[in-house]
Amino acid sequence: MKQIPKYAALLAYMIFLVFPLVWLLSTAFKTPQEMANLNPAWIPREPTLSNFEAAFTEQDLVGAGVRSLIVALCSAVLTVVIALPAAYAIARHRSLVSKIAVGWVLVSQVFPFILIIIPLFMVLRNLDLVSTLPGLIIVHVTFTLPFALWMLQGYVRAVPPELEEAASVDGAGRVRSIVSVVAPLLAPGVVATLLFSFISSWNEFLFALVVLKDPDVMTLPLTLVRFTGPEGVSRLGPLAAASVVATIPSLIFFAIIQRRLRSGLMAGAVKG
């Protein structure tokens, strides 16, 4: 009986999270007449696929999705590759420099990201990277790197240094101890950072709006905006259908990463 309030709160929170997705899915299958009804229903009375047909024929959703996938995967991998050794150095070699670095990471999260849009755009313009996917990847890495570094250094500090000392006593060098002892224990942190970086890049809109000017290189969030008319009136049917399609890759990526996260937790438990 004591657990009932806890599970009730958890159920209410899950309903709160699922509600937008369920309503979006319901709207994607409704006709324009049913969407204009003053008493909307959860289940469409006359389900239709016309909204999905309009979404794919009017806009290049497949091409935009591929570009978003490339940008998100490259941004996530580059963020982890850069943040992991930096996080290890900050966590293991505590000095004034590492404290300043951690402090700067925290301070950088306080300022709104809109402040760095103009400097980033000027740098990309000088490098001829405006309206290019590599330019957007650089921006997304810059955008997600501070928080990823903060996440990973917390995971590194959770690994006892005594494990590395024991490995060195057994004859393992620094690189061997990091690869064989520390890396398996950091697997959950790496997977969580990958997931965070991927979702952040996949859903990012503001930087993409500033960097990408050519319609042929626009990512999926920018393509979704094009379902809004010139007077700011959204076409809810095609927009909902396109939004449902846009959520599928992130859900698939999360399902794959969740397995790796679970196996990483088990590996960390065995190693510990």
Side-chain angles (χ1 to χ4, degrees):
M1 295 296 294
K2 295 181 179 180
Q3 301 296 328
I4 292 179
K6 183 187 300 184
Y7 286 113
L10 180 60
L11 179 61
Y13 183 65
M14 291 179 61
I15 294 175
F16 173 76
L17 293 179
V18 173
F19 172 78
L21 183 60
V22 174
W23 189 258
L24 184 69
L25 188 63
S26 174
T27 305
F29 289 97
K30 289 181 178 180
T31 61
Q33 294 77 13
E34 192 171 356
M35 282 186 286
N37 194 343
L38 296 179
N39 297 315
W42 282 95
I43 301 176
R45 298 184 178 91
E46 298 178 0
T48 179
L49 295 176
S50 60
N51 293 323
F52 289 91
E53 182 180 357
F56 278 98
T57 55
E58 294 179 9
Q59 302 295 337
D60 184 18
L61 289 183
V62 176
V66 171
R67 291 189 290 270
S68 291
L69 186 62
I70 293 173
V71 172
L73 288 176
C74 293
S75 300
V77 173
L78 284 176
T79 298
V80 172
V81 169
I82 297 174
L84 188 56
Y88 181 85
I90 291 175
R92 284 292 185 262
H93 303 285
R94 299 184 180 182
S95 61
L96 180 62
V97 176
S98 64
K99 293 180 180 179
I100 294 176
V102 174
W104 174 247
V105 168
L106 293 177
V107 171
S108 65
Q109 300 301 300
V110 176
F111 298 101
F113 290 104
I114 196 172
L115 294 178
I116 65 174
I117 287 182
I118 295 179
L120 277 176
F121 182 82
M122 295 177 63
V123 171
L124 294 177
R125 185 184 61 183
N126 294 332
L127 297 176
D128 293 330
L129 291 176
V130 177
S131 293
T132 62
L133 296 185
L136 185 60
I137 291 172
I138 294 174
V139 173
H140 284 182
V141 172
T142 306
F143 169 69
T144 57
L145 188 59
F147 190 76
L149 179 61
W150 176 254
M151 287 178 60
L152 285 175
Q153 65 93 22
Y155 279 97
V156 174
R157 288 185 177 179
V159 178
E162 290 77 12
L163 295 178
E164 297 179 62
E165 296 174 0
S168 63
V169 170
D170 292 337
R174 174 59 64 89
V175 176
R176 178 66 183 276
S177 63
I178 293 176
V179 173
S180 302
V181 178
V182 180
L185 298 177
L186 292 179
V190 171
V191 172
T193 306
L194 275 173
L195 180 61
F196 163 77
S197 302
F198 180 88
I199 298 299
S200 298
S201 178
W202 179 266
N203 296 327
E204 201 280 318
F205 172 78
L206 182 60
F207 290 129
L209 180 64
V210 175
V211 174
L212 302 180
K213 300 299 182 182
D214 189 353
D216 294 334
V217 296
M218 285 186 175
T219 54
L220 203 53
L222 297 181
T223 304
L224 294 179
V225 178
R226 305 184 75 175
F227 288 102
T228 302
E231 297 180 356
V233 179
S234 300
R235 300 180 57 204
L236 292 181
L239 178 59
S243 300
V244 169
V245 174
T247 59
I248 294 176
S250 58
L251 293 177
I252 294 175
F253 182 80
F254 178 77
I256 297 173
I257 288 294
Q258 188 181 29
R259 295 182 180 180
R260 301 288 183 238
L261 180 60
R262 191 177 306 167
S263 61
L265 288 172
M266 293 299 296
V270 173
K271 288 291 182 180

